[in-house]
């Protein structure tokens, strides 16, 4: 076996401390301010309070009913009026502030993506089991005009000229959560 060559000399390259100091000087002022705050920087998600409120059994079922009966636009406008809770002097996270800025441009129904209201409200409730996938699919299916479960009809085709219907978007929340469902035993009931 031939011996390994020694490592080439690193003369002239600055050390780690020098790289960090150089990066701090080159950083934008907002980045330096955020770094100076350290752990005080907010990591709050937009609509966090709404998502937590929807995780109760009664709230999730009521939200599902409201979404189906009143419509996605009315539901979004009533539920998602503020992205960030009123702060006690602290600044919101950039993610949260970005959504606040979007909402300043109009009601949630005008600035949200097609599936966003259903995903933000019903998605967390599904994840913790506050509503079942069957309950959500049934609500989406029964809310479609022309569908009669009593008559044994199949639900109407959800094909739209562009995108999905609001109830098809609700059904998508169930379909798309398959990759993020926690394994059995992860969510334990609180004692």
């Amino acid at each position: 076996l031939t011996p390994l060559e020694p490592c080439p000399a690193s003369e002239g390259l600055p050390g780690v401390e020098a790289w960090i100091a150089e990066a701090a000087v080159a950083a934008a002022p907002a980045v330096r301010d955020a770094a100076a705050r350290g752990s005080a920087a907010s990591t709050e998600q937009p609509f966090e309070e709404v998502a937590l409120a929807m995780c109760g059994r009664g709230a999730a079922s009521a939200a599902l009913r409201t979404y189906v009966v009143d419509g996605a636009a009315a539901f979004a406008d009533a539920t998602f009026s503020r992205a960030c809770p009123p702060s006690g002097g602290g600044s919101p996270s950039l993610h949260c502030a970005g959504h606040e800025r979007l909402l300043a441009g109009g009601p949630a129904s005008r600035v949200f993506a097609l599936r966003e209201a259903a995903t933000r409200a019903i998605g967390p409730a599904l994840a913790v089991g506050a509503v079942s996938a069957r309950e959500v699919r049934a609500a989406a299916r029964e809310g479609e005009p022309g569908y009669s479960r009593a008559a044994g009809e199949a639900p109407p085709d959800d094909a739209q000229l562009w995108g999905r219907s609001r109830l098809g978007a609700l059904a998508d929340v169930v379909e798309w959560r398959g990759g993020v469902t926690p394994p059995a035993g992860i969510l334990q009931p609180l004692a």
Side-chain angles (χ1 to χ4, degrees):
L1 292 171
T2 58
L4 294 174
E5 297 278 328
C7 291
S10 61
E11 294 175 22
L13 291 177
V16 173
E17 295 82 15
W19 283 108
I20 292 173
E22 224 174 286
V25 169
V31 173
R32 284 196 299 270
D33 291 345
R37 284 195 308 261
S39 63
S42 175
T43 58
E44 183 176 39
Q45 294 295 311
F47 310 108
E48 191 172 284
E49 287 183 346
V50 172
L52 291 174
M54 295 295 170
C55 289
R57 174 72 181 151
S61 294
L64 186 59
R65 236 181 348 270
T66 302
Y67 184 92
V68 171
V69 172
D70 296 346
F75 175 78
D77 292 342
T79 308
F80 299 102
S81 60
R82 290 191 53 99
C84 309
S87 62
S91 61
S93 68
L94 292 177
H95 191 190
C96 197
H99 274 75
E100 254 328 298
R101 185 172 178 183
L102 280 175
L103 289 175
S109 60
R110 292 195 54 212
V111 297
F112 272 12
L114 175 65
R115 295 171 180 86
E116 192 166 358
T119 302
R120 287 189 180 278
I122 307 302
L126 274 168
V128 298
V131 290
S132 70
R134 286 182 179 174
E135 188 177 356
V136 175
R137 291 287 298 176
R141 191 173 43 254
E142 291 171 10
E144 289 287 352
Y147 173 70
S148 170
R149 183 171 160 169
E153 299 173 3
D157 185 18
D158 192 39
Q160 303 286 313
L161 181 62
W162 181 258
R164 297 274 304 235
S165 70
R166 65 181 174 86
L167 295 169
L170 181 61
D172 287 344
V173 175
V174 175
E175 297 298 325
W176 292 350
R177 77 179 188 86
V180 295
T181 303
I186 294 291
L187 295 174
Q188 298 295 325
L190 297 174

